[in-house]
Amino acid sequence: MPARFSAFVRTRTTRTTRTGRLTGWLAAIALIACSPSGATEPQTDSIEDLSPGWHRIAGGPGTGCAFDTPFSFYVRPGDPRKLLVHLQAGGACWNGETCDPLLLPTFDPVIDTTDHPSRAAGILSLHLLANPVHDFSIIVVPYCTGDLHLGSRAVTYRSPGAQLIPARDFTVKHWGARNVESVLRWAYRHFAQPEIIFVNGSSAGAIASPVYAAELAEEYPSARVVQLGDGAGGYRVPGLGTLMGAAGALDVLRGMSAFQSIDSAAFTFEDLYVLASRARSNLSLAQYNSANDATQLFFLHALGVPSASLTPLLAANLAELHADVPGFRSYTAPGVTHTILFRSSFYTLAVDGVTARDWVAALLDGTSVPDIGSSLLGGN
């Protein structure tokens, strides 16, 4: 969740004591590994047969988190004609330092009580009638694999070690795609014919959201599918294909009909929007970003892109998407805040006289919506 991840990034940035962090990680991993997952598989073939409230469902064989803790997801029944699928935030990792659970990794490797959707605000404030998705059936896909929900491999990294922690080899299960596919299989069994599907993701989940929106649009060709990427639009990073390929993400993409033409040498995250749009006529695509999102800047710096400002990178990416994706829409807010969907400010933030809430509601209604905040991008 965004607030949790913001605290996580701050912890890494300030480099708190490694011994304290080591103790915390070992305790968390031991607790979850030795405890039952608490997840169940409701014996039903229809979302309408589930009891009200949130259900935690086990991902099943072949799924799991980075360090062998269990994967599960959350479901809340609502109107069976309306389905929301959310891909959770939680960072990413790509080498021995950023992935090592003993060295303040840049991703969240476990699913625990802090991931429960009842703790979130924004679009998960389901008691609010102003919430445009208050009556939707909702699936929340937690994230614990460091691979943007797209990985398919177990990768062994070499940790550099630090202080009392020796250098060593360790393995990360980048099984994000396996986890999401288990969720989609469950959804396909329980939703016969949704009329509207809202696929959104925050941060890491935002990057994968056009991919799985295209998958759902293929499975339900008569549904109107609306995608929204929340807080990941500014990444212009050389060599993304190599990074994504290492965790098996490019293999996953090439196994999907919409993304078979992915070019690893020139890969960008914008390609996911362009190819999804070309493949699925029942899919509309959109992004929300803050013009100087501090978390996006943190990861750009970690990836070797020393930009002092996110704005020119974001402007360039959005210009490409507006040129290449028919009907693409964007909402850009001022400031450094990371993501909006799970924040209470979702209802109050207004740019160009339009709240984020009203803009999302219009996307879901299928009415024409403008691009918001374009003046913050320097005229692009």
Side-chain angles (χ1 to χ4, degrees):
M1 305 294 178
R4 180 184 183 208
F5 180 55
S6 294
F8 188 81
V9 169
R10 285 197 302 272
T11 298
R12 180 169 178 86
T13 304
T14 55
R15 312 294 288 184
T16 55
T17 60
R18 294 181 188 277
T19 53
R21 184 65 174 176
L22 167 60
T23 302
W25 277 119
L26 291 177
I29 291 172
L31 176 63
I32 294 173
C34 295
S35 301
S37 68
T40 59
E41 173 63 69
Q43 299 303 306
T44 174
D45 291 326
S46 171
I47 192 68
E48 295 175 275
D49 295 332
L50 288 182
S51 60
W54 287 105
H55 298 259
R56 184 178 175 188
I57 300 174
T63 68
C65 293
F67 303 113
D68 294 317
T69 57
F71 170 77
S72 56
F73 58 98
Y74 298 95
V75 175
R76 175 192 175 274
D79 189 331
R81 299 166 300 174
K82 303 176 180 180
L83 171 61
L84 185 156
V85 178
H86 175 78
L87 299 163
Q88 192 190 45
C93 78
W94 54 92
N95 57 30
E97 182 180 7
T98 59
C99 293
D100 188 343
L102 308 184
L103 295 181
L104 303 178
T106 54
F107 80 111
D108 180 356
V110 294
I111 299 170
D112 57 27
T113 57
T114 65
D115 295 288
H116 198 284
S118 63
R119 298 172 63 95
I123 64 169
L124 292 185
S125 294
L126 299 172
H127 62 289
L128 298 178
L129 293 181
N131 186 342
V133 299
H134 73 91
D135 60 343
F136 276 53
S137 294
I138 298 175
I139 300 175
V140 173
V141 185
Y143 174 58
C144 57
T145 52
D147 55 14
L148 310 178
H149 294 275
L150 291 169
S152 60
R153 295 178 185 166
V155 179
T156 298
Y157 296 99
R158 182 67 178 174
S159 170
Q163 295 183 9
L164 300 179
I165 301 172
R168 73 194 195 290
D169 293 334
F170 66 99
T171 299
V172 177
K173 289 183 175 177
H174 291 302
W175 282 5
R178 295 187 185 198
N179 293 345
V180 178
E181 287 300 327
S182 75
V183 176
L184 295 185
R185 286 194 300 270
W186 189 94
Y188 299 156
R189 293 197 307 271
H190 290 80
F191 290 88
Q193 197 170 6
E195 296 173 5
I196 181 168
I197 305 173
F198 184 26
V199 182
N200 57 70
S202 294
S203 196
I207 292 169
S209 60
V211 174
Y212 295 113
E215 286 284 281
L216 284 155
E218 180 179 28
E219 179 70 19
Y220 298 107
S222 62
R224 187 166 60 86
V225 181
V226 178
Q227 174 273 346
L228 177 62
D230 177 24
Y235 295 111
R236 279 180 94 79
V237 181
L240 274 179
T242 300
L243 291 175
M244 298 295 288
L250 294 186
D251 293 337
V252 169
L253 290 168
R254 292 192 182 109
M256 300 176 174
S257 59
F259 304 99
Q260 291 176 349
S261 63
I262 283 286
D263 179 359
S264 59
F267 175 79
T268 69
F269 293 142
E270 288 64 50
D271 291 342
L272 303 178
Y273 284 80
V274 173
L275 294 175
S277 174
R278 290 175 181 172
R280 308 285 176 251
S281 61
N282 59 328
L283 172 61
S284 61
L285 298 145
Q287 280 188 14
Y288 171 93
N289 290 281
S290 294
N292 271 297
D293 183 327
T295 298
Q296 292 193 58
L297 280 172
F298 169 85
F299 277 103
L300 283 164
H301 293 163
L303 288 163
V305 182
S307 176
S309 173
L310 185 72
T311 304
L313 306 179
L314 178 60
N317 287 345
L318 291 178
E320 289 182 9
L321 290 175
H322 283 110
D324 295 336
V325 178
F328 175 79
R329 292 293 179 262
S330 62
Y331 190 116
T332 305
V336 301
T337 301
H338 186 51
T339 73
I340 191 65
L341 286 177
F342 285 180
R343 297 183 181 276
S344 58
S345 54
F346 171 75
Y347 297 94
T348 57
L349 172 71
V351 180
D352 297 343
V354 179
T355 64
R357 180 266 171 212
D358 289 350
W359 188 77
V360 169
L363 288 176
L364 296 176
D365 288 342
T367 55
S368 178
V369 297
D371 296 314
I372 300 297
S374 298
S375 62
L376 298 170
L377 301 172
N380 288 282

